[in-house]
Amino acid sequence: MSAARRGPLLLGVRHHGPGSARAVRAALDEARPAAVLIEGPPEGDALLELAADPGMRPPVALLAHAADDPGRAAFWPLADFSPEWVAIRWAQEAGVPVRFMDLPAAHALAAAGEPDADHAEPDAVRLDPLAVLAETAGYDDPERWWEDVVEHRGTGGAGEEALGAFEALGEAMGALRETYGDGGHHRDLVREAYMRQRMRAARREFGDGYAVVCGAWHVPALRAKTTVAADKALLTGLAKVKVETTWVPWTHRRLARAGGYGAGITSPGWYAHLFSARDRPVERWLTKVAGLLREEDRQVSSAHVIEAVRLAETLAAMRGRPLPGLTETLESVRAVMCDGSDIPLALIEDRLVVGDVLGEVPDGAPVVPLQRDLTRQQRSLRLKAEAQERELELDLRKDTDAAKSLLLHRLRLLGIGWGTPTASRSSTGTFRETWRLRWEPELSVRVAEAGIWGTTVLAAATARAEADAAAAEELGEVTALAERCLLAGLSEALPAVLRALADRAALDTDVARLAKALPALARSLRYGDVRGTDATALGAVAAGLAERICVALPPACAAGLDADAAAELRGHVDGVHGAVGLLADADDGLRERWSAVLRTLADRDTVPGVIRGRAARLLLDDGRLEAGETARLMGLALSPAASPADAAGWIEGFAGGSSGGGTLLVHDDRLLGLIDTWLVGVPERAFTDVLPLLRRTFGAYEPGVKRTLGELVRRGPAASAEAARATGSAPEGFAPDLDPERADAVTELVRMLLVSPDGVAAA
């Protein structure tokens, strides 16, 4: 260290700043300190040696969480271009001690969520030092100012030049602290008191021959002359919790958010490029952009790259900047490579300016046993955690894919949302699953939290399911849990879940809740065939639930329901009808009993129209209601004695847009005529009231169906389906009776659609 320098070397940096990182290395090479202190929690000291492990690949983060409450956690992220990471690796390469010096996480986590007596007023604004310095220098953008004065300094200069830059930045921060005090960062006063204590300890051990790497904002406070007693007074009485620490993978995308040091950056991918590209950064960056656009099948040539470089340099010169920054490069890319379009530019900003780089942590890093089991399964199933979102298609008939499905469902049950089920684009069979996967760093905290349930994913998910079943208050919660247990293959948890299910079902008298619970049970019974899970124990519970619904539903539908309650019960009728179709194979009489319930609902005039109409439609679709009887029921529902609102509700229930009602009306002129006659007879005042309901009903029809209906109505209610076909307004092939010859022609095609190439019948 230079003899002219007095006291320790204080290197004030911008967290995650590549220019600061290069300058830190140059300054350390010049000063050669005997030890390095770094802003970060001292609990991480024992983990610093892992930074030298070949398996440690930034971005990573130091994770600290309360031992008895893993959800109370904090991260200290580090990237290749973070000055703190550069300082750690320099110390390890130089063979000198390196330690963290910030306020212990034990205190920081204990204070999390507690009112801070020193906190600023709610309307107070915390000072952004870079914004103030940028404004003082005449810049309206702090990022652009930082690029000009730091990032465009090339490699950071020689050692003495780097040291001079740190001195200048420290003086600037000193002026800000004199003017603004703590700038609204009241908690920093406590942190800085602890940092000074660590510096005193380092002075006793190394003299003044040590270096400190911290946020530039703290430098004036660390230089200030304070007493030991004053610092102890600030630290007295701080709450404390037991803390556990480890390293976890981080992502560039997560660096783009404020967290850890509170130093989120907007362009981590760009900063990583500036740090790694020691020469010609703009040319190399635009070459990357061209490569990405070519991968997206856009025509980008070397000439485009050359022209974009020229334009970026011209823009920088016009704006008085030493080199093109991110703003100039993106403007040149938009003009030259994207033809002025923001769509490909958004892709560049997402993939390159931010990026999806995911770090790696060596196996030697301490983890909870649950994380160790999860890592083992990820490797065994070749299910790699990735920061970029991707879709995963699974065929549950294959052992490996079935195992992946079980793992993802078990993690979801534990609250670890690595994967999200989504609709499959290739198949609707129950043997297919599609997942959308993305690993976020915060999931490491969720894994630590879930560690209280067990040491393996299977054991933890089982224990969590049993606890959730015991704590569930509503029947729907337990039925949903039973479905999730079957999806996750948690056979050992099912007895406890089924006991809770039977108990809740026996005590619940609300038919709406019973009806809401049945579809989930019916779906669950199908999983035994697809996943090899024994779901037969659910059969008795589902059958009992269905019987209670059959008994209780008609009285519940006739109990003076308002419009919202009637609409809700109409939805439950649909759900129960679908469930009965799934359960009927195990109970031949159930379908008959349910049809009798629907007939009761369709005939009873005290039942709201939307439910009566829906019941009639379901009976018609199942072939249990003749066309003439259907017309009779509609005629009664639309008679002058019926209220317009109730009649409109009947139409919605019977001919709702999502149920194929439009096609039915196209080919049944009697039903269409009844509706048309009723509609033209609705009084003007009543018509205004029922119009929204009718618009919702008919507005959901396909455009072609609406055109055909309009043509039929235009020609009058007596227009028949035969006349519609004659004018080409309706498809050919419909007749009063079945044409066996034409029906047989599609038999082979239907067989091919229902049987997969390997001969297995599709679900």
Side-chain angles (χ1 to χ4, degrees):
M1 186 174 296
S2 172
R5 191 175 304 279
R6 304 175 66 180
L9 175 63
L10 300 183
L11 304 178
V13 302
R14 182 189 186 188
H15 303 301
H16 316 310
S20 287
R22 287 193 298 268
V24 162
R25 175 168 286 279
L28 293 176
D29 284 338
E30 175 71 19
R32 310 301 299 180
V36 179
L37 302 184
I38 295 172
E39 184 178 332
E43 292 93 342
D45 284 353
L47 303 176
L48 280 171
E49 62 180 1
L50 288 172
D53 191 298
M56 182 75 86
R57 298 178 183 175
V60 294
L62 187 67
L63 164 64
H65 64 82
D68 59 350
D69 182 10
R72 188 184 297 185
F75 297 96
W76 286 262
L78 297 168
D80 275 321
F81 51 86
S82 299
E84 297 84 2
W85 181 260
V86 169
I88 291 171
R89 295 296 295 122
W90 182 92
Q92 290 172 333
E93 293 167 3
V96 302
V98 55
R99 298 166 187 168
F100 286 122
M101 63 177 296
D102 205 347
L103 185 73
H107 298 309
L109 294 178
E114 297 181 359
D116 186 352
D118 295 326
H119 204 279
E121 294 297 324
D123 59 349
V125 178
R126 292 191 173 190
L127 181 73
D128 180 352
L130 293 186
V132 176
L133 293 177
E135 184 179 0
T136 303
Y139 284 75
D140 58 1
D141 182 357
E143 292 292 329
R144 190 159 57 89
W145 173 79
W146 181 261
E147 280 191 344
D148 285 355
V149 301
V150 177
E151 303 308 332
H152 293 162
R153 294 174 61 88
T155 61
E160 283 296 334
E161 182 182 350
L163 292 172
F166 283 118
E167 288 290 339
L169 186 57
E171 291 175 3
M173 291 298 172
L176 290 179
R177 295 295 290 256
E178 288 179 7
T179 303
Y180 297 100
D182 59 26
H185 303 267
H186 300 301
R187 190 70 181 171
D188 286 350
L189 299 177
V190 179
R191 295 174 57 201
E192 289 160 355
Y194 188 85
M195 291 182 191
R196 288 191 291 266
Q197 283 196 341
R198 295 284 283 186
M199 291 173 64
R200 293 185 185 103
R203 183 176 294 111
R204 290 192 295 270
E205 187 174 356
F206 306 107
D208 285 338
Y210 65 93
V212 171
V213 179
C214 64
W217 175 253
H218 301 299
V219 169
L222 300 186
R223 282 179 176 164
K225 301 295 184 181
T226 60
T227 64
V228 174
D231 287 343
K232 283 185 176 180
L234 286 171
L235 299 170
T236 299
L238 293 180
K240 189 176 183 180
V241 296
K242 185 179 179 181
V243 167
E244 295 178 355
T245 57
T246 187
W247 289 107
V248 296
W250 206 250
T251 66
H252 276 179
R253 190 171 301 280
R254 189 63 181 83
L255 279 172
R257 310 176 201 167
Y261 302 108
I265 54 177
T266 59
S267 50
W270 167 251
Y271 275 9
H273 170 77
L274 290 181
F275 185 70
S276 61
R278 298 303 180 95
D279 65 315
R280 305 178 72 85
V282 175
E283 291 86 342
R284 296 181 186 276
W285 173 259
L286 291 174
T287 301
K288 281 185 180 181
V289 171
L292 174 62
L293 293 177
R294 289 185 191 120
E295 291 175 1
E296 298 298 320
D297 294 328
R298 293 188 66 88
Q299 300 298 318
V300 179
S301 67
S302 299
H304 286 91
V305 176
I306 295 171
E307 184 58 30
V309 170
R310 289 175 178 169
L311 178 56
E313 291 175 342
T314 301
L315 289 172
M318 291 175 60
R319 294 167 182 174
R321 306 192 66 182
L323 286 173
L326 181 59
T327 302
E328 286 74 29
T329 56
L330 289 181
E331 288 179 2
S332 66
V333 165
R334 184 180 186 275
V336 177
M337 299 184 185
C338 301
D339 299 323
S341 172
D342 288 331
I343 296 176
L345 189 66
L347 175 70
I348 294 166
E349 291 175 337
D350 182 69
R351 297 278 187 86
L352 295 181
V353 177
V354 177
D356 285 307
V357 176
L358 176 66
E360 296 182 15
V361 171
D363 294 336
V367 294
V368 296
L370 180 63
Q371 178 66 69
R372 193 173 296 113
D373 180 64
L374 174 57
T375 301
R376 178 188 62 79
Q377 293 195 53
Q378 287 172 325
R379 290 176 178 171
S380 173
L381 297 174
R382 296 181 180 178
L383 202 55
K384 186 178 180 181
E386 297 176 325
Q388 187 171 353
E389 184 175 278
R390 68 184 181 97
E391 281 196 355
L392 177 68
E393 293 276 355
L394 299 179
D395 184 341
L396 301 182
R397 297 168 297 182
K398 299 178 181 178
D399 292 342
T400 300
D401 282 7
K404 292 178 181 178
S405 172
L406 293 177
L407 175 62
L408 293 171
H409 278 293
R410 289 167 183 172
L411 292 175
R412 277 177 57 81
L413 198 148
L414 287 168
I416 304 169
W418 179 18
T420 302
T422 186
S424 176
R425 293 176 294 184
S426 58
S427 172
T428 58
T430 55
F431 60 86
R432 292 281 185 185
E433 273 188 356
T434 302
W435 291 81
R436 186 172 291 115
L437 302 182
R438 169 177 275 179
W439 185 267
E440 295 282 0
E442 289 84 351
L443 294 178
S444 298
V445 177
R446 304 285 83 81
V447 174
E449 287 181 302
I452 64 173
W453 298 107
T455 58
T456 66
V457 175
L458 174 58
T462 299
R464 174 67 182 270
E466 292 173 345
D468 287 351
E473 297 181 356
E474 294 187 3
L475 178 61
E477 296 177 39
V478 190
T479 54
L481 182 60
E483 185 176 14
R484 296 177 71 185
C485 285
L486 288 167
L487 288 168
L490 303 180
S491 56
E492 293 186 6
L494 273 178
V497 175
L498 290 178
R499 283 195 300 271
L501 179 59
D503 292 343
R504 304 297 187 283
L507 297 175
D508 205 325
T509 58
D510 188 329
V511 69
R513 286 200 293 264
L514 296 176
K516 184 179 179 180
L518 185 62
L521 290 181
R523 290 193 303 268
S524 299
L525 287 169
R526 304 177 69 191
Y527 300 144
D529 296 332
V530 179
R531 300 171 180 274
T533 305
D534 184 9
T536 56
L538 286 174
V541 178
L545 209 60
E547 291 294 343
R548 293 181 61 194
I549 292 170
C550 288
V551 172
L553 188 59
C557 291
L561 300 173
D562 61 19
D564 291 338
E568 180 183 358
L569 269 181
R570 174 260 175 100
H572 290 321
V573 168
D574 277 340
V576 173
H577 186 74
V580 167
L582 298 176
L583 297 172
D585 292 340
D587 186 349
D588 294 335
L590 178 59
R591 194 186 299 274
E592 295 297 329
R593 293 191 291 276
W594 174 245
S595 295
V597 171
L598 291 177
R599 187 64 198 227
T600 299
L601 295 177
D603 287 336
R604 189 171 293 177
D605 57 5
T606 57
V607 173
V610 67
I611 299 177
R612 296 201 321 274
R614 192 61 188 152
R617 178 59 189 276
L618 294 175
L619 289 169
L620 179 65
D621 289 346
D622 282 353
R624 295 176 180 272
L625 199 63
E626 297 294 334
E629 181 65 9
T630 302
R632 185 186 72 82
L633 290 174
M634 180 179 284
L636 291 174
L638 305 184
S639 68
S643 71
D646 192 67
W650 197 98
I651 294 173
E652 181 188 24
F654 183 84
S658 62
S659 62
T663 304
L664 178 65
L665 296 179
V666 166
H667 301 295
D668 195 320
D669 58 305
R670 288 178 300 172
L671 298 182
L672 179 60
L674 285 169
I675 293 177
D676 186 38
T677 301
W678 169 81
L679 191 59
V680 298
V682 175
E684 181 179 352
R685 181 175 300 176
F687 184 81
T688 303
D689 294 333
V690 301
L691 180 59
L693 185 62
L694 295 173
R695 179 176 294 165
R696 184 172 67 216
T697 301
F698 297 113
Y701 290 168
E702 293 290 336
V705 171
K706 287 190 283 189
R707 284 196 301 270
T708 302
L709 287 175
E711 178 64 21
L712 292 173
V713 171
R714 185 185 66 80
R715 290 182 295 147
S720 64
E722 185 65 34
R725 286 196 299 276
T727 60
S729 299
E732 296 184 359
F734 289 86
D737 299 316
L738 178 69
D739 185 338
E741 183 178 352
R742 300 186 72 177
D744 290 342
V746 302
T747 303
E748 181 62 20
L749 177 60
V750 172
R751 188 192 68 78
M752 294 173 63
L753 291 173
L754 295 178
V755 178
S756 63
D758 55 5
V760 179

